[in-house]
Amino acid sequence: MIHLERVNKSYHLGHHALHVLRNVDLTIEEGELVSIMGSSGSGKSTLLNILGILDDYDSGTYRLGDALIRDLSESRAAQYRNRFIGFVFQSFNLLPFKTAAENVALPLFYQGVPRARRNALALEYLARVGLEAWAMHLPAEMSGGQKQRVAIARALITKPRVLLADEPTGALDSKTSEQIMNLLIDVNASGVTVVIVTHEPKVAARTHRTIRLRDGVIEADEDRA
Amino acid sequence: MSLDRLVELVETLRTAKLRTALTALSVAWGIFMLVILLGSGAGIQNGAEHQFRDDATNSLWIWPGATSLPFEGHKIGRNVRLTDEDYDAVKRHVDGVVHITGRFYLQGQFTVSYHGAVSSFDVRACHPDHQFLENTLITSGRFINQLDLAENRKVAVIGPVAVERLFKGKDPIGEWINVRGMMVRVVGVFEDEGGEEEQSKIYIPISTAQMAYGGASQIHQLMFTIDEKTDVEHSVAVAGQTKRLLAARHHFSPEDKRALRVRNTVEDFQRIVMLFQRIRVFIWIVGIGTIVAGIVGVGNIMLISVRERTKEIGIRKALGATPWAIVSQIVLEALIVTGVSGYLGLFAGIATLELVRKHVPPSDFFRDPSVNLGVVVGATVLLVLSGLLAGYFPARMAARVNPIVALRAE
Ligand SMILES: Nc1ncnc2c1ncn2[C@@H]1O[C@H](COP(=O)(O)OP(=O)(O)OP(=O)(O)O)[C@@H](O)[C@H]1O
Ligand SMILES: [Mg+2]
């Protein structure tokens, strides 16, 4: 499903370049449940953003399914983000002026799905994360865990093949974290490939495979299955 | 554009109330001010032009006075007396004279009666051409003619005020009226745009008045139109020629300003026209300034709003919005806001002018404020377009940014 080969990424800060990912080789098969760990600044988010086509890389190749993700046109990139990938952020990134249901329905708007169908599906996905009663609430009226569930519903509504989550529980207490993890495990059980960046060993322990990054290099790749 | 997208747009606009309101206000205010400005300019101009409506604007008016310069041994303070011969001389020898008339002044109000109905009126004694100088319109019968003059006929042309007061709606043509003891026959009825005062005049042949009131062949005032309507230089030359002719006939210095007073309406009117050209230029400069201020305002708001929305754009892109979807959303938002508010500004401006037109009585300073709809609609379109451009370029830039860069914005 995901296939990286000698991927490099640097940030240029004035004169010196910061080499964040160094020759990363990585293959994740369809249906896997993977966590990525590593100390702060090791390049986890950078890697996940590249996987989510939110950022580009300097050299190497990245294949998502059969597609080579490289120098994509903007509309192509938008299409892959919309149809293949669901992304969950640590900071939720909900649109503050839209209700939970509207937030969840938004990706379908960009697919041209009619309004009524969009709203019906949004309610269905909100129900899946246990928030049907909160459909008409604005993000500001919800707790962190609730917001993250809305974000997950939004990521899933397009039936993506890959769900990428960058510290989805980073802003949540341990009990809420566990609920979110249960949800992600359910998602994975339904056949979606799930990649989670996390600092928490507890979270990583519930995934089937953990990739450890250190200064932009894959240091270890442990399979638990 | 689908209804669905429109709903999405309106929802976004509704949630970003302040931004929407500021953009709308800036556009509506600009257009409103422009309409008021142009309308007021037109009102002032119409008022001034109205003052000239009943007089020919290409005429010279001449009044004899008393000499103030010694000339050929004559002392100063001598009265100049114009006569029918002067009328003939000017008519024959001055180039460019078209319609010419004298006036014999009949002082004070004249009591006029008809079958017991009595009222008083100003009586004006003049030549047939007088009707072209005062823009007198004959509505029935005729004006004074050459035969009236030659035969000193006792005829009169009366205005609508006299018709109403003396005849009470009856047809006055052919009826005899008593003008301060002299019986004259009504031969015509006129109308004059010059207001109540002009409407209540009674015209009689100048020769009849000269005979009846002991004027011999005296003329108190000479008026004529000239062949060029707007050529000030020509009118000044004609005035000069007239003055030299009359000066030679009456032995006074052509430089003597008191011996003969000349009013040149070509000059007067052109002065007003020039003044209004300047006022118009000024109004246009202010108007363009208003529109430019509006454009800058709208542009600024759009720029700020796109910058404010960088994070939103990042989120939308991460969810799969194409740059086109983002740009078109922002541009359409701008279009709706500026279009609707521009229309409202236009509407409010025109409604205000209408209210003024209805409730402020027209005067010589202000009447009939109106705007050229094409100009203000053009200005509105310009503002809307500038809003679009001001939204388009920053939106296109923002839509091209990597989603992750946009998401990092706060
Ligand atoms: N836009 C950027 N410009 C410059 N440097 C950046 C940028 N984004 C990230 N970096 C740097 O790249 C390195 C990797 O960043 P990244 O966000 O991938 O780390 P991370 O492993 O996710 O860390 P954390 O656990 O704190 O989230 C860091 O040193 C960071 O400072
Ligand atoms: Mg990170």
Side-chain angles (χ1 to χ4, degrees):
Chain A
M1 179 90 277
I2 289 170
H3 193 73
L4 295 189
E5 227 169 90
R6 303 184 71 75
V7 165
N8 283 282
K9 168 81 178 173
S10 314
Y11 287 113
H12 299 273
L13 299 157
H15 290 296
H16 58 267
L18 187 63
H19 204 163
V20 180
L21 294 180
R22 302 164 190 259
N23 289 331
V24 171
D25 290 316
L26 175 64
T27 299
I28 296 172
E29 300 299 343
E30 185 155 12
E32 274 196 88
L33 174 56
V34 181
S35 56
I36 301 176
M37 293 195 76
S39 57
S40 184
S42 57
K44 306 181 295 292
S45 294
T46 307
L47 177 59
L48 202 71
N49 291 339
I50 289 171
L51 294 184
I53 327 181
L54 300 180
D55 206 351
D56 12 78
Y57 53 100
D58 300 332
S59 67
T61 54
Y62 165 29
R63 283 173 194 285
L64 176 64
D66 302 328
L68 175 63
I69 306 300
R70 165 139 240 187
D71 301 327
L72 294 180
S73 71
E74 283 278 6
S75 55
R76 252 287 138 78
Q79 201 182 347
Y80 286 134
R81 285 177 208 131
N82 190 252
R83 308 231 171 211
F84 291 114
I85 299 162
F87 211 104
V88 175
F89 303 88
Q90 180 177 357
S91 56
F92 324 125
N93 280 336
L94 301 175
L95 289 183
F97 51 82
K98 285 186 177 292
T99 63
E102 286 167 343
N103 265 290
V104 173
L106 196 56
L108 294 180
F109 173 70
Y110 291 113
Q111 285 187 4
V113 174
R115 183 171 207 80
R117 169 129 189 80
R118 231 158 60 207
N119 291 341
L121 278 170
L123 291 178
E124 194 184 313
Y125 275 82
L126 276 175
R128 251 179 91 172
V129 299
L131 285 179
E132 62 267 66
W134 290 80
M136 294 307 150
H137 286 256
L138 290 175
E141 301 159 357
M142 298 184 185
S143 71
Q146 287 170 328
K147 281 191 246 192
Q148 198 58 297
R149 271 140 74 190
V150 172
I152 290 169
R154 182 178 67 179
L156 293 177
I157 197 166
T158 56
K159 297 196 171 73
R161 315 232 331 250
V162 180
L163 183 70
L164 306 172
D166 192 353
E167 301 191 38
T169 61
L172 308 175
D173 61 49
S174 56
K175 190 160 176 287
T176 322
S177 295
E178 217 176 294
Q179 289 171 359
I180 296 293
M181 268 318 285
N182 291 340
L183 197 55
L184 292 177
I185 288 164
D186 279 355
V187 169
N188 176 247
S190 73
V192 179
T193 310
V194 176
V195 182
I196 303 168
V197 166
T198 185
H199 277 292
E200 298 160 57
K202 260 183 160 178
V203 168
R206 299 190 62 184
T207 63
H208 303 152
R209 176 183 168 194
T210 300
I211 294 158
R212 289 185 194 279
L213 269 185
R214 187 199 186 98
D215 293 335
V217 179
I218 294 184
E219 189 189 37
D221 191 339
E222 304 151 14
D223 234 327
R224 258 184 301 277
Chain B
M1 184 176 56
S2 69
L3 184 68
D4 208 36
R5 300 203 60 183
L6 199 68
V7 173
E8 168 76 16
L9 279 179
V10 172
E11 270 176 3
T12 314
L13 287 178
R14 214 186 46 214
T15 52
K17 286 191 189 75
L18 184 66
R19 180 192 342 129
T20 308
L22 282 177
T23 318
L25 194 69
S26 152
V27 172
W29 182 249
I31 296 295
F32 178 78
M33 284 313 289
L34 187 76
V35 171
I36 296 300
L37 201 65
L38 293 180
S40 309
I44 293 171
Q45 181 163 7
N46 289 341
E49 276 174 2
H50 188 76
Q51 293 181 49
F52 284 89
R53 77 210 169 280
D54 74 316
D55 294 338
T57 52
N58 56 330
S59 59
L60 296 181
W61 298 24
I62 293 159
W63 296 268
T67 58
S68 61
L69 295 174
F71 188 72
E72 292 174 357
H74 296 287
K75 277 197 287 219
I76 63 167
R78 201 160 39 89
N79 282 323
V80 176
R81 206 179 131 92
L82 295 185
T83 65
D84 290 342
E85 283 105 68
D86 294 306
Y87 166 90
D88 290 330
V90 170
K91 189 174 183 170
R92 199 165 313 134
H93 299 301
V94 175
D95 303 317
V97 175
V98 181
H99 297 294
I100 180 163
T101 179
R103 272 187 192 173
F104 182 82
Y105 289 170
L106 298 165
Q107 300 295 342
Q109 296 255 299
F110 277 54
T111 305
V112 180
S113 61
Y114 171 76
H115 288 301
V118 183
S119 188
S120 40
F121 298 95
D122 265 342
V123 178
R124 218 175 232 172
C126 60
H127 290 90
D129 278 0
H130 193 280
Q131 65 169 311
F132 301 110
L133 279 117
E134 282 282 354
N135 289 349
T136 312
L137 275 172
I138 296 299
T139 53
S140 80
R142 61 174 179 81
F143 198 67
I144 290 159
N145 65 21
Q146 215 55 52
L147 261 165
D148 298 335
L149 224 56
E151 298 179 1
N152 303 335
R153 283 181 180 167
K154 292 184 171 165
V155 295
V157 180
I158 63 177
V161 176
V163 174
E164 192 200 305
R165 288 200 202 149
L166 299 175
F167 293 95
K168 314 208 156 53
K170 189 178 155 207
D171 181 14
I173 304 291
E175 299 298 318
W176 291 85
I177 55 176
N178 184 332
V179 179
R180 199 189 269 174
M182 176 171 66
M183 294 305 288
V184 298
R185 199 161 58 92
V186 177
V187 294
V189 177
F190 70 87
E191 245 173 34
D192 193 303
E193 295 226 300
E196 181 79 2
E197 203 181 319
E198 288 296 326
Q199 296 269 62
S200 53
K201 296 271 190 252
I202 287 179
Y203 287 100
I204 62 174
I206 190 166
S207 58
T208 311
Q210 285 165 337
M211 198 179 65
Y213 300 101
S217 62
Q218 194 183 355
I219 288 175
H220 292 114
Q221 183 183 345
L222 201 56
M223 307 152 77
F224 57 88
T225 59
I226 54 181
D227 48 1
E228 289 285 343
K229 280 207 188 299
T230 55
D231 188 340
V232 174
E233 245 172 76
H234 176 68
S235 72
V236 170
V238 173
Q241 200 191 350
T242 311
K243 206 162 182 181
R244 280 192 301 279
L245 176 80
L246 294 175
R249 291 175 55 82
H250 294 274
H251 311 288
F252 61 84
S253 164
E255 311 302 321
D256 196 335
K257 290 208 162 39
R258 299 256 176 95
L260 209 61
R261 275 200 303 126
V262 178
R263 178 181 160 205
N264 184 341
T265 63
V266 182
E267 234 176 348
D268 293 354
F269 190 63
Q270 287 308 307
R271 198 175 302 134
I272 295 286
V273 168
M274 292 295 282
L275 176 68
F276 277 104
Q277 255 159 20
R278 267 181 229 136
I279 291 180
R280 205 163 9 210
V281 167
F282 175 74
I283 283 177
W284 271 104
I285 290 172
V286 177
I288 289 170
T290 310
I291 289 302
V292 168
I295 290 175
V296 171
V298 171
N300 255 329
I301 296 165
M302 289 311 297
L303 263 171
I304 292 168
S305 97
V306 169
R307 197 164 303 157
E308 268 179 356
R309 297 169 77 178
T310 308
K311 177 145 189 155
E312 177 191 334
I313 291 171
I315 294 173
R316 288 177 185 273
K317 280 194 79 172
L319 298 180
T322 58
W324 165 243
I326 285 164
V327 171
S328 63
Q329 182 192 346
I330 289 172
V331 166
L332 284 172
E333 272 179 39
L335 182 73
I336 290 175
V337 175
T338 55
V340 168
S341 54
Y343 177 79
L344 288 180
L346 197 66
F347 183 82
I350 289 174
T352 307
L353 289 186
E354 273 309 308
L355 276 182
V356 169
R357 202 207 305 263
K358 273 212 187 93
H359 297 292
V360 177
S363 69
D364 284 349
F365 305 104
F366 198 85
R367 71 164 53 231
D368 206 12
S370 59
V371 285
N372 182 335
L373 211 59
V375 170
V376 287
V377 169
T380 313
V381 170
L382 195 71
L383 260 190
V384 171
L385 279 182
S386 64
L388 291 195
L389 290 185
Y392 174 73
F393 287 106
R396 203 180 60 166
M397 280 196 357
R400 276 190 189 152
V401 167
N402 249 349
I404 204 66
V405 174
L407 278 170
R408 219 173 272 135
E410 223 17 274

